[in-house]
Amino acid sequence: MKIIQAYKKKNENWEYLTKVEQLKNPLVLVFGNRMQLQRLEVIDAIRKEFPYEHLVFGSTAGEIIDANVFDDSIVVTAIEFEKSTFEIRTDNIFNHNKDANALGQSLYQQMPKESLKHLFVLSEGSFVNGSSLIDGLENGIQNKVPISGGMCGDDAKFEKTLASYKENPKEGEVVLIGFYGETLEISFSSFGGWSSFGPERIITRSEANVLYEIDGQPALDLYKKYLGDKANQLPQASLLYPLNVMPEGKTEAVVRTILNINTENQSMILAGDVPENSKVQLMMASVDAIAEGALQAAMLAMKNRKNHPQLALLVSCVGRKLVMNQRVEEEIEHVQEIIGNEVAITGFYSYGEMAPFSGNTFCELHNQTMTLTLISE
């Protein structure tokens, strides 16, 4: 595996972290600020600097490269696989009347199945219900191909997100990358570091990712009472106080970030499903707890590996970034401590992270976690 990494801050020249060389048919991952990815001159500069076919674009709530976290930048990682191959398929949520399950099924059907080792998802983050997308992808998986990835971001603006493959970045796009190869080793993990507080309540009315009532009371009204003065800063304030959701019959809770609110019907739109009869609690975190969570995620991803990773794809939640603020790079540094300085690191801050729970193969949508996908040939 040969890897070239570079970044471009706003109105500045390209900075390379590696030796510049020509690669053969690489996978090029481009993570960038949404406002930057909307500028045609920026896209032209990327295509000129990386004149390859397989460019995958995704907007972010912060860009990760090596142990750095940038804002308002473009980070590029070009990967030449020497023993493995990849296939990329893409579809748009607007082609499926915003039905993410149908989109997931369609994408998986398009993907060649023979020798498929792993699927990495880069999804639009504004319209797509991440839980439904995963359900659709897994609907056809017979051989338990693991899935990891994340949902694109837009800083803390929540206006729109962009993604694409080959084309210029656009709204509604979901990109699916399949990895193939006998010697390919891919491990993954996800860990939070947040803790629950307050009384445990029951979700009494919800529909997919829309939460209407908790304990028979309007969900938004109850949530605002907990937030107090911070309620005026919704939905941004909700990133600091996500929900811990334990679905009925499940043994592992999932964290759900509130993406938007509806004051007319007092509902909250979350990044993933919140089934009725689930137990729910508010959550909060400290900087130290989040940094420790990233360390735990890295240890879990490294736990059973046979070979050392060459590439680390990191997807962390925008809520973690807001809590950590100027100390945000500490969680990337903790990951690097565990996986080693020689591993190429890239990724982004997201509106939702995708990975199975430790020891499982079925993917879940997470919020407020650090998620790792470690790859070696």
Side-chain angles (χ1 to χ4, degrees), residues 93-259:
I93 192 71
F94 297 121
N95 295 337
H96 300 272
N97 295 314
K98 294 188 180 180
D99 183 338
N101 189 291
L103 170 59
Q105 291 190 51
S106 170
L107 269 177
Y108 183 70
Q109 286 167 9
Q110 296 175 46
M111 188 64 65
K113 310 299 187 298
E114 190 175 345
S115 303
L116 178 61
K117 274 279 184 75
H118 189 89
L119 291 168
F120 188 86
V121 183
L122 184 65
S123 171
E124 190 280 336
S126 302
F127 304 104
V128 172
N129 177 340
S131 300
S132 295
L133 175 64
I134 291 168
D135 287 346
L137 286 167
E138 291 195 329
N139 185 62
I141 293 177
Q142 303 300 317
N143 55 346
K144 295 185 178 178
V145 176
I147 299 170
S148 63
M151 304 184 74
C152 293
D154 181 26
D155 294 329
K157 297 187 189 77
F158 291 99
E159 292 172 0
K160 63 178 177 179
T161 65
L162 306 173
S164 68
Y165 167 52
K166 293 187 181 181
E167 299 178 283
N168 289 356
K170 58 184 179 178
E171 289 186 84
E173 204 77 353
V174 178
V175 181
L176 186 62
I177 306 172
F179 293 101
Y180 305 77
E182 283 292 317
T183 62
L184 198 63
E185 184 180 3
I186 300 179
S187 59
F188 41 83
S189 70
S190 186
F191 202 89
W194 296 67
S195 54
S196 303
F197 71 97
E200 193 173 73
R201 298 179 179 273
I202 301 293
I203 293 174
T204 47
R205 184 173 165 236
S206 65
E207 188 175 328
N209 65 327
V210 182
L211 177 55
Y212 293 101
E213 291 181 4
I214 299 172
D215 281 352
Q217 301 178 57
L220 182 58
D221 189 43
L222 188 64
Y223 188 74
K224 282 181 175 180
K225 286 177 184 175
Y226 275 106
L227 289 191
D229 294 341
K230 289 188 174 68
N232 296 325
Q233 301 166 29
L234 284 169
Q236 283 79 5
S238 67
L239 292 169
L240 306 178
Y241 300 95
L243 300 178
N244 190 54
V245 179
M246 175 66 84
E248 195 175 29
K250 294 269 188 168
T251 57
E252 298 269 11
V254 290
V255 183
R256 288 289 173 258
T257 295
I258 295 128
L259 293 180

Side-chain angles (χ1 to χ4, degrees), residues 58-126:
S59 69
T60 82
E63 301 83 55
I64 299 169
I65 189 165
D66 195 40
N68 305 300
V69 177
F70 295 135
D71 292 303
D72 213 13
S73 78
I74 304 292
V75 302
V76 180
T77 300
I79 310 128
E80 178 187 319
F81 291 94
E82 297 172 288
K83 303 174 186 175
S84 317
T85 58
F86 61 88
E87 291 282 344
I88 303 174
R89 299 293 184 269
T90 186
D91 204 344
N92 198 288
I93 192 71
F94 297 121
N95 295 337
H96 300 272
N97 295 314
K98 294 188 180 180
D99 183 338
N101 189 291
L103 170 59
Q105 291 190 51
S106 170
L107 269 177
Y108 183 70
Q109 286 167 9
Q110 296 175 46
M111 188 64 65
K113 310 299 187 298
E114 190 175 345
S115 303
L116 178 61
K117 274 279 184 75
H118 189 89
L119 291 168
F120 188 86
V121 183
L122 184 65
S123 171
E124 190 280 336
S126 302

